[in-house]
Amino acid sequence: MASKNNTDIKSLVIRVCVGTGGLAAGSQEVIDEFTKLLKKKGVRAEVLKKCVNKTGCRGFCAKDVLADVIVDGISHTYQLLTAENVARIVEEHIVGGEPVEQWLVGPEYHAFHDKQTKILLHECGHIDPEDINAYTEIGGYNGARKALTMKPENIIAQIKDSGLRGRGGAGFPTGLKWEFCRNADSDQKYIICNADEGDPGAFMDRSIIEGNPHSVIEGMIISGYAIGASFGYIYIRAEYPLAIERLKIALSEARSNGFLGKGIFNSDFDFELKIKEGAGAFICGEETALIASIEGKRGMPRSKPPFPAHKGLLGKPTVINNVETLATLPSIMTKGAKWFSSIGTEKSKGTKVFALTGKIKNTGLIEVPMGISLKEIIYDIGGGMEKKNRTLKAVQTGGPSGGCIPAANIDMPVDYESLAAAGSMMGSGGMVVMDDLTCMVDMSKFFLTFTANESCGKCVPCRVGTKRMLEILTRITEGKGKSSDIDLLLELGKDIKLASLCGLGQSAPNPVLSTLHYFRDEYEAHINEGICPAGVCKSLRRYTVSDEACKMCGKCKTVCPSDAVTWEKKQKAVISKEKCIKCGACYEACPFNAIL
Amino acid sequence: MSLKVDEIIGVVSSVLDETQKKRGTLIHAFQEIQKEQNYLPEEELVKLSKELDIPMSDVYSTATFYKQFYFTPRGRKIVKVCTGTACHVRGASKVMDALKNEFNVGDGETTEDLAMTLESVGCIGCCGLAPVATINEGIIGEIDSPKLSKMIEDIKED
C-alpha cells in the first residue's frame, strides 16, 4: 500500500522497552535505528520528538526487545526486535500502513498477561519513568494528596483494614508496624525504603523503580506522614545504576513540583528524601543491619527488641518498608481499603510481584493476585517448561531463605501461610522453576554457598553453622558423603534456625531442610549409590547411551567437545569413558533422553 | 580531599550532631574515593580517618565489611560473570571457567598488565537472559560459545 504517505499519520508513538533486560537485548540500537530511519523518511519533526518514548520494564524479558508501534492510536506490539528489523517495520507498517504480521507478539504474549492482575506493574512499561507529568496525568500523587488531608490515625486504620502485609519477605502487617512507630514518643522519626534487593533470581524492586519511580516516592510520602517522619532514606543497592539514575531524576522533579521539601502539596507537612547507595552486602536487607549501614557502620544486625519502630536509625523510631509495599500504598489511598482487600485470600491480600525464572518458557516479571495456584503461574502465565521433553520437578520460592515446592504440590495457593506450611516462604518474590535436570543437592549447595558467603559473622550459629553445612553438602556432591550426613544436616539446620541472631541465619537452612523433606531420595542416591539422578554433580557423572531409547540421530556426536562419542549413520551411539570429560553437552542435546 | 559533610547528608544534617554527621558520610566517602581512584589506597584511608576523627582500625573495619570496596588497583575492564540462580542453572560456570583459562586469572583477580579484572557476582537482575556477564557497563546476555569468543576478543581489545 504505497499510496498512503507519511503526512496521513497524525500521531506516531513508538515505545521501546528499556529496562535492564531490554537494554541488554539491544533496545538502544533499535531506538537509534527508528530515530534515524524516521528522519530519513521525513516523518514530521514534531512527531519525531515524541516518537521514541523510553518505557520501563513490561515484564516479558524473554521476548525482548519489545516495542509498541502506535499509529493514530492503534497499537501493535513487536517482539524479539533487532535493529535490522526496524527498516521493514518503518517501510511496511509506518509508511505502508500494514503491520509486519510475522514479528508481532503471538498468543503467548497475551497468555502471559491475561492471568495477571496488575496494580503495581500496571504503569510500568506504559509511562515514561523520567517524566513526572506522565505519572500525574494518570492520577499519580493523588494518593499522597488525599493522605495529607486525613488524620494520620485514619491512614493507619485504612492500611490496617486493607490487610496489606510487608512484601519484603516476612509479611508483617504494614499498618501495625506504622502504628508502633506512630505511638512511639520522639522528636524525630524516619521512614526508610528498603531497595536492597539481594536475593539471587529476584528483580521485582529494580523493575518497579525503573518503571515507575514516582509510585515509590508517593508511597514514602504517605507512610512518612502517617508515622510522623519528616525525613526518609531510600537504601538501594549500588548494582542498580539505572534504577538509581531514575530515582534521582524523579526526586528532583518531585522537589520542583512541591511534592518534596517544605510544606508539600501546600500543607504544613515537611518531607525530604535522600538516596543511600548500598555497598554490596546482602545482610543489609535486614532491618537493623540496614540501619547500621546508613549510620556509616559495618552492616551487622543487632538483636531485637528494641524493634526499629521504637529505636531505629540514630536511635529514633523508624519504619522500614519494602519497595513493593510502598508502591502499593498510592492505590490503596485512592481506591480504598475495601477494594484492596477484595483481592487475594483471607489472610494475604492484594497482589504480589514475582520474578519468574529458571527452566520456564516465559521468564519475566509477573504480578498475580494472592492465592493463585502455582500451577496457573507455571502453565498459564509461564507457558510451561522451557523444553518440551523435560518435566517440572520443583519450584523454588523465597531465594536463599526459602525452599522448594515439589511438582506434586503445585495446586497449592500462593499466599504467606501456604508457602510457609510447605516449608518455603513468600520471600521477596523470586520464583525459580526447576526441571528434572536440576539436582536438588546441588541447588541447596548453591544457596548455602550464598548464605555462608553473606553471613556477617557476628553470631556463631550462622557464621560457623552455615559453613559446616556447606562442607557436608560439598562432600555429598563429590560422592564422599557419609551415611550419617543427612541426620547431621537436619540437626545442624534446626540448631542454626533456632539460635541465629537475625533473619539471614534463621532462614539459611531452609533450602536444605525443604529439599531434604521432599527429595531425601536424591540425597540418599548421592550418598549410598554414588549417583546424581539429575546428572548435575560432575564427580558422580557417568554417561552412557540407552540402547532402547537411542534413535540413532547423532546429535550427541555433533555436540561432544572431546570427540568421545562414536556414531555412524543408522548406528547407536557409544560414549568412550576414557575420552569423556563429563561436560554434559550430549545429555542436554539428546532429544530422546537416551543418555543416562 | 576535604569533605563537605553538610552537602553529602543534605537536610538531615539539621537534626544530627557532629559525630553522627561524620560517621554517616564514611561509606559515601569510600564510594567517592573509589570512583576517582578505582580502589581505596591506604594513604587516602589514613587521611579520611584523620578528617572524620574515626580511628583507622574502625575505618578499615567498615570498608572491608562491604564487598564493593577494593584495596588493590583494578583492571581497565571489569568483567563480571553473573552466578545467580538462573545463570547458575543455565551454565554460568562454563563462562567463568573459559575466562579464567583464557586470561590466566582467578575469581576476583586482575591481570598483571591491569587490562582486566574477573569477578563472579550475585544476580544482576536480568535472569531472562541467563547466562549473563558484563564488561564495564555493557551487558551481554544468553552467552553461548560464539558470544563467548566475541566477549574474549572484546576484552582483549583496548
Side-chain angles (χ1 to χ4, degrees):
Chain A
M1 292 220 313
S3 63
K4 190 172 179 178
N5 67 46
N6 309 327
T7 49
D8 292 344
I9 300 171
K10 289 186 190 70
S11 80
L12 172 65
V13 181
I14 296 171
R15 292 197 296 221
V16 182
C17 184
V18 289
T20 303
L23 284 174
S27 57
Q28 191 55 52
E29 286 78 7
V30 172
I31 292 176
D32 293 346
E33 192 72 7
F34 266 119
T35 315
K36 195 180 90 193
L37 289 181
L38 289 174
K39 202 174 223 168
K40 228 168 154 186
K41 287 282 165 197
V43 176
R44 276 176 302 155
E46 65 266 26
V47 180
L48 191 71
K49 268 183 204 156
K50 277 193 268 175
C51 83
V52 178
N53 236 342
K54 285 189 176 181
T55 61
C57 186
R58 62 182 84 204
F60 203 32
C61 306
K63 300 290 178 196
D64 270 327
V65 175
L66 286 159
D68 300 324
V69 174
I70 310 165
V71 181
D72 293 340
I74 301 164
S75 171
H76 287 88
T77 307
Y78 290 98
Q79 64 181 16
L80 298 168
L81 282 189
T82 62
E84 286 88 65
N85 301 138
V86 173
R88 200 173 142 197
I89 294 174
V90 169
E91 198 60 44
E92 295 182 17
H93 186 169
I94 297 172
V95 178
E98 290 280 324
V100 187
E101 286 290 336
Q102 70 186 97
W103 297 334
L104 290 176
V105 291
E108 278 170 5
Y109 181 80
H110 300 291
F112 182 76
H113 289 286
D114 286 352
K115 281 238 170 170
Q116 299 193 45
T117 305
K118 296 197 174 190
I119 299 173
L120 287 162
L121 299 181
H122 191 256
E123 317 308 342
C124 289
H126 292 283
I127 62 169
D128 184 345
E130 298 179 8
D131 179 7
I132 193 169
N133 295 323
Y135 184 61
T136 50
E137 271 163 26
I138 53 155
Y141 286 104
N142 284 347
R145 219 173 252 126
K146 187 177 172 199
L148 291 181
T149 63
M150 293 166 67
K151 276 189 177 164
E153 292 77 15
N154 295 344
I155 300 175
I156 293 175
Q158 184 165 341
I159 298 302
K160 277 168 97 175
D161 287 344
S162 76
L164 176 65
R165 293 167 67 174
R167 300 297 193 235
F172 192 80
T174 307
L176 202 58
K177 199 187 225 181
W178 289 8
E179 195 172 57
F180 290 149
C181 187
R182 173 90 212 159
N183 293 340
D185 190 26
S186 174
D187 54 334
Q188 182 63 49
K189 290 174 190 176
Y190 296 101
I191 169 81
I192 296 174
C193 166
N194 185 350
D196 191 46
E197 183 176 53
D199 282 13
F203 51 95
M204 300 74 53
D205 297 349
R206 175 177 62 72
S207 298
I208 293 170
I209 295 174
E210 284 178 5
N212 193 358
H214 287 287
S215 64
V216 181
I217 297 173
E218 187 179 359
M220 290 191 78
I221 297 173
I222 297 167
S223 55
Y225 177 73
I227 61 169
S230 55
F231 293 119
Y233 285 100
I234 302 172
Y235 188 88
I236 181 165
R237 60 191 296 224
E239 288 91 332
Y240 287 171
L242 183 63
I244 294 173
E245 191 49 43
R246 292 204 170 142
L247 263 181
K248 282 184 180 160
I249 296 171
L251 284 179
S252 90
E253 282 193 319
R255 221 165 268 137
S256 54
N257 275 270
F259 301 165
L260 287 177
K262 288 226 173 296
I264 61 170
F265 298 102
N266 302 317
S267 69
D268 53 5
F269 179 59
D270 301 341
F271 191 66
E272 194 46 69
L273 279 179
K274 175 116 187 94
I275 298 172
K276 273 270 178 184
E277 282 180 43
F282 176 70
I283 183 68
C284 289
E286 200 278 341
E287 292 188 328
T288 57
L290 190 155
I291 288 172
S293 180
I294 293 183
E295 289 171 349
K297 299 173 189 159
R298 289 168 68 98
M300 297 209 282
R302 61 162 174 77
S303 59
K304 297 187 274 193
F307 289 92
H310 293 135
K311 267 184 188 295
L313 185 61
L314 303 164
K316 306 290 185 188
T318 305
V319 160
I320 300 169
N321 281 146
N322 163 270
V323 170
E324 217 183 310
T325 316
L326 289 164
T328 311
L329 298 171
S331 43
I332 299 182
M333 289 320 294
T334 50
K335 295 182 187 168
K338 245 194 185 144
W339 161 80
F340 188 78
S341 62
S342 70
I343 308 164
T345 64
E346 195 199 333
K347 287 183 176 164
S348 306
K349 300 295 185 192
T351 57
K352 176 80 190 88
V353 181
F354 288 101
L356 189 60
T357 59
K359 308 255 183 104
I360 191 157
K361 211 162 166 192
N362 304 335
T363 53
L365 202 67
I366 61 164
E367 181 173 358
V368 290
M370 293 277 192
I372 190 174
S373 73
L374 275 172
K375 196 175 183 177
E376 285 170 280
I377 294 181
I378 296 165
Y379 290 101
D380 297 338
I381 299 171
M385 304 307 289
E386 182 193 13
K387 291 179 183 161
K388 278 205 179 85
N389 56 344
R390 294 290 159 214
T391 50
L392 175 72
K393 185 186 227 171
V395 182
Q396 213 278 349
T397 66
S401 315
C404 291
I405 315 288
N409 295 15
I410 59 164
D411 284 322
M412 196 187 83
V414 174
D415 59 50
Y416 291 101
E417 279 73 26
S418 307
L419 284 171
S424 185
M425 69 183 282
M426 182 74 79
S428 57
M431 192 175 269
V432 184
V433 177
M434 298 165 185
D435 66 8
D436 52 339
L437 291 188
T438 312
C439 168
M440 301 321 262
V441 186
D442 179 66
M443 191 45 65
S444 305
K445 191 179 96 181
F446 168 76
F447 281 121
L448 243 287
T449 311
F450 181 83
T451 32
N453 261 332
E454 296 293 345
S455 171
C456 77
K458 186 169 178 173
C459 73
V460 178
C462 175
R463 182 183 71 230
V464 183
T466 53
K467 184 91 185 141
R468 291 288 94 86
M469 280 185 97
L470 180 59
E471 285 167 2
I472 299 171
L473 287 171
T474 307
R475 75 172 174 244
I476 295 177
T477 57
E478 286 170 352
K480 296 172 195 154
K482 299 174 199 163
S483 52
S484 57
D485 278 349
I486 292 182
D487 286 336
L488 195 53
L489 280 175
L490 288 170
E491 191 190 332
L492 259 172
K494 205 179 94 204
D495 292 346
I496 296 171
K497 279 182 78 140
L498 273 174
S500 291
L501 178 63
C502 81
L504 188 143
Q506 287 159 12
S507 63
N510 285 353
V512 184
L513 296 178
S514 89
T515 49
L516 264 174
H517 181 70
Y518 293 113
F519 300 97
R520 192 180 172 118
D521 52 333
E522 275 194 39
Y523 283 80
E524 286 166 351
H526 280 78
I527 297 170
N528 303 336
E529 296 155 51
I531 294 170
C532 172
V536 171
C537 299
K538 257 192 171 177
S539 328
L540 301 177
R541 277 180 185 170
R542 266 162 297 181
Y543 290 105
T544 52
V545 181
S546 150
D547 272 353
E548 296 87 61
C550 180
K551 298 275 186 290
M552 301 177 267
C553 72
K555 273 214 172 127
C556 47
K557 185 174 169 69
T558 336
V559 296
C560 178
S562 63
D563 210 15
V565 180
T566 332
W567 170 83
E568 299 281 333
K569 266 187 187 167
K570 291 183 187 169
Q571 271 183 24
K572 294 188 195 286
V574 181
I575 299 170
S576 152
K577 275 207 180 86
E578 288 70 42
K579 286 188 185 167
C580 178
I581 56 164
K582 300 179 175 181
C583 71
C586 55
Y587 183 76
E588 278 169 38
C590 180
F592 311 108
N593 295 342
I595 292 173
L596 307 168
Chain B
M1 188 190 69
S2 83
L3 279 173
K4 293 170 189 140
V5 174
D6 283 339
E7 213 170 89
I8 294 170
I9 52 177
V11 199
V12 190
S13 69
S14 60
V15 292
L16 302 182
D17 65 33
E18 282 304 310
T19 331
Q20 285 174 334
K21 270 192 210 175
K22 286 181 170 174
R23 186 82 218 195
T25 58
L26 186 60
I27 293 169
H28 185 83
F30 293 151
Q31 283 164 337
E32 289 302 306
I33 295 171
Q34 186 153 297
K35 210 182 274 169
E36 233 170 70
Q37 315 236 12
N38 224 352
Y39 74 111
L40 300 181
E42 194 179 331
E43 58 274 19
E44 291 288 345
L45 293 182
V46 173
K47 266 195 254 170
L48 193 63
S49 153
K50 284 184 185 142
E51 180 118 17
L52 296 178
D53 203 17
I54 301 171
M56 184 58 190
S57 61
D58 202 348
V59 168
Y60 192 70
S61 140
T62 308
T64 51
F65 182 82
Y66 296 97
K67 278 194 302 254
Q68 195 189 359
F69 304 120
Y70 303 95
F71 303 91
T72 50
R74 312 254 294 141
R76 285 182 295 278
K77 287 202 171 138
I78 311 291
V79 182
K80 294 183 180 172
V81 179
C82 176
T83 52
T85 316
C87 290
H88 174 75
V89 169
R90 292 203 187 179
S93 56
K94 286 180 192 164
V95 178
M96 197 66 197
D97 288 345
L99 292 173
K100 276 184 190 167
N101 290 337
E102 185 66 35
F103 294 95
N104 196 23
V105 285
D107 188 359
E109 288 177 6
T110 305
T111 54
E112 272 177 32
D113 57 355
L114 298 185
M116 73 93 84
T117 302
L118 179 67
E119 283 170 357
S120 63
V121 291
C123 187
I124 57 170
C126 33
C127 307
L129 299 164
V132 179
T134 62
I135 302 178
N136 292 342
E137 305 296 307
I139 303 170
I140 304 135
E142 295 184 317
I143 302 172
D144 48 14
S145 33
K147 276 198 182 172
L148 187 61
S149 316
K150 173 87 186 2
M151 247 184 94
I152 291 173
E153 266 172 49
D154 287 351
I155 298 169
K156 284 181 177 166
E157 223 168 69
D158 229 347

